[in-house]
Amino acid sequence: MKPITSFFLFSLTLSLSLSLLASVANADTNLIDKVCARTHNKNSCVAVFESNPDSKQADLKQLGIIALTLASSKATETSQYIKTLLLNKTLDPVIDQALSDCSDQYLDAIQQLGDASSDSLEDGTKDVRTSVKAAIAAAQSCENGFEESSGREILLSRNAIFRQLCNNVLVIHKLLEEK
């Protein structure tokens, strides 16, 4: 083969490969943008998914599993944090009781998200949404338990992040239902 022909074929192959890679990357970004545009906090949603390397090549169902995993991890992390706080024996009794209730509520949220994960693998989109809504309600009950004390800020930001992660799951599963 002549050098000019080889160069032409190499250039054509390289150009097509780069175009294909760019369109795949663009499609993945578009999916994350499409999902996150329907959430309450698009920037936070995009940041969460872009920080997870698996989400860049995920389809909608896979993105839903990633979102569930992230929400479950946050619930587990918050539960562990609450257990650590409960080790403090100098807590105000009202705050101690609120944290104890939160511990139970986050264990419930973890269970609900486990159920949602099982349902997701079985294509039970409606059941996923029901379980995730129950997990959000558990976190909200935790937060409400602090309303009569000054300790509400202890878990406020963690609860907000958890709710955001759960809302991402809800949006994805709503989109899956619409398919």
Side-chain angles (χ1 to χ4, degrees), residues 138-157:
Q140 189 62 51
S141 292
C142 165
E143 199 167 298
N144 293 345
F146 285 100
E147 288 185 358
E148 295 181 17
S149 71
S150 61
R152 186 173 191 206
E153 70 282 349
I154 294 172
L155 296 174
L156 196 61
S157 66

Side-chain angles (χ1 to χ4, degrees), residues 19-40:
S19 295
L20 180 61
L21 284 174
S23 68
V24 167
N26 205 16
D28 297 332
T29 302
N30 287 340
L31 178 60
I32 291 171
D33 283 341
K34 177 182 176 183
V35 166
C36 293
R38 295 185 61 177
T39 65
H40 299 295

Side-chain angles (χ1 to χ4, degrees), residues 126-146:
K126 273 193 173 174
D127 294 334
V128 170
R129 293 182 70 218
T130 300
S131 295
V132 172
K133 286 177 183 179
I136 292 171
Q140 189 62 51
S141 292
C142 165
E143 199 167 298
N144 293 345
F146 285 100

